[in-house]
Amino acid sequence: MAFIRSVLHALWMLVTVVPWGIIMCVSSLWKRGIPLYWMAEQWLSWAIGGARVLLGIQTRVTGMENLPADKLAGAVLLVKHQSTFETFLMPTLMPHPLAFVFKKELIYVPFFGWAMARLDMIHIDRSQRAQAFNKVVNQGRKLLAQGIWIIMFPEGTRIPRGQKGTYKSGGTRLACETGVPVIPIAVTSAKVWPRKAFIKRPGVVDVSIGPAIPSVGRKPDELMREVEAWIESEMRRLDPEAYHDSLPLPQAPQEVR
């Protein structure tokens, strides 16, 4: 049954992404920026709705009150990355437009990538690290000034359930450069949508949004250790059976008073 449901969802994604990608590319000839973003968010809502109806995947979100309330307040969202699901889900949850930082190869994916290329996203060449980070800071600063939040996956890639990747400090470096807070977010998507798996299963994905952490006066590596400690601790609280024999938690840096 899970296989059949997964096939139906894949077909749903295929038959909706083709016309959506075409409409996005055509619309971008006269419409750009935030209005085009909300057009893109509509397809992501269809993808999440399809997962709910066809796959039986529900979402349970806590911590929305931790998001900055000001309309033009900036933020860098740092999200646990276990599957494609949270990539689709996050724009449907957030009150602000999001700009993903992603590898430039994705813009060549037919229809989906073509549409992404028309949006105000930050696509980088990961083989050129210094230039890539400069691009993230320069574009990120402009987008944050417009009230667009930057979203990054600090582990860099999808991580199997119950495991922890290497947290890289690019997101906290951007936050420290621009003075905006970071928002750590834990997601348990691998319980129902495993990494690189075609077959998905019914269940609940928990999304926990942590308190905003100020970046002013902080060092990026120290700030990332605090983000890592919060996310990994929260993952163990949300999905304890996945971490029963895992390594000890990283320790958050202690603030000296």
Side-chain angles (χ1 to χ4, degrees):
M1 189 61 176
F3 175 77
I4 295 173
R5 299 177 94 173
S6 299
V7 169
L8 290 174
H9 185 254
L11 290 173
W12 168 250
M13 298 281 282
L14 179 62
V15 300
T16 55
V17 76
V18 173
W20 170 78
I22 294 172
I23 291 170
M24 286 287 295
C25 291
V26 172
S27 298
S28 69
L29 296 176
W30 69 86
K31 183 183 295 188
R32 295 301 294 266
I34 292 176
L36 193 65
Y37 171 87
W38 292 119
M39 287 182 61
E41 191 270 341
Q42 181 59 58
W43 180 79
L44 297 176
S45 296
W46 296 342
I48 295 300
R52 182 174 61 254
V53 174
L54 299 173
L55 298 174
I57 296 176
Q58 308 293 324
T59 56
R60 181 167 52 209
V61 183
T62 58
M64 289 292 289
E65 69 278 3
N66 291 324
L67 297 173
D70 191 286
K71 186 175 181 180
L72 290 179
V76 174
L77 309 183
L78 299 178
V79 184
K80 181 71 178 181
H81 199 15
Q82 291 191 323
S83 77
T84 306
F85 184 78
E86 56 268 14
T87 308
F88 295 156
L89 178 66
M90 287 301 151
T92 71
L93 297 178
M94 295 299 154
H96 282 235
L98 301 182
F100 284 83
V101 178
F102 63 94
K103 57 185 180 182
K104 69 176 185 178
E105 290 83 358
L106 289 178
I107 67 176
Y108 304 116
V109 176
F111 301 105
F112 179 79
W114 302 341
M116 287 184 66
R118 310 304 296 172
L119 297 169
D120 287 331
M121 303 286 174
I122 307 174
H123 48 86
I124 58 174
D125 183 348
R126 294 197 295 189
S127 67
Q128 301 180 349
R129 293 184 179 275
Q131 296 91 327
F133 181 69
N134 289 336
K135 182 177 182 179
V136 170
V137 172
N138 292 334
Q139 282 191 244
R141 195 185 303 275
K142 294 176 183 176
L143 294 169
L144 287 165
Q146 300 172 43
I148 297 172
W149 292 348
I150 310 300
I151 179 169
M152 300 177 71
F153 300 112
E155 293 164 290
T157 188
R158 292 167 291 177
I159 303 299
R161 183 183 180 197
Q163 296 185 27
K164 181 178 76 69
T166 301
Y167 279 69
K168 302 173 182 66
S169 62
T172 51
R173 288 171 66 192
L174 172 62
C176 291
E177 288 275 354
T178 56
V180 302
V182 297
I183 312 291
I185 302 177
V187 184
T188 63
S189 56
K191 290 196 295 184
V192 296
W193 188 315
R195 171 178 175 262
K196 297 183 179 180
F198 176 77
I199 297 178
K200 292 85 175 177
R201 301 189 182 280
V204 177
V205 173
D206 279 294
V207 178
S208 180
I209 302 169
I213 305 174
S215 65
V216 176
R218 302 291 300 274
K219 295 180 180 179
D221 289 342
E222 173 198 27
L223 184 55
M224 182 52 75
R225 288 196 297 272
E226 184 173 345
V227 169
E228 177 183 353
W230 188 91
I231 290 177
E232 293 302 321
S233 176
E234 190 69 357
M235 290 299 298
R236 285 159 174 78
R237 185 185 73 82
L238 296 172
D239 190 12
E241 60 270 24
Y243 291 91
H244 62 280
D245 57 354
S246 59
L247 295 174
L249 283 170
Q251 296 298 309
Q254 299 297 312
E255 186 176 355
V256 178
R257 297 183 180 275

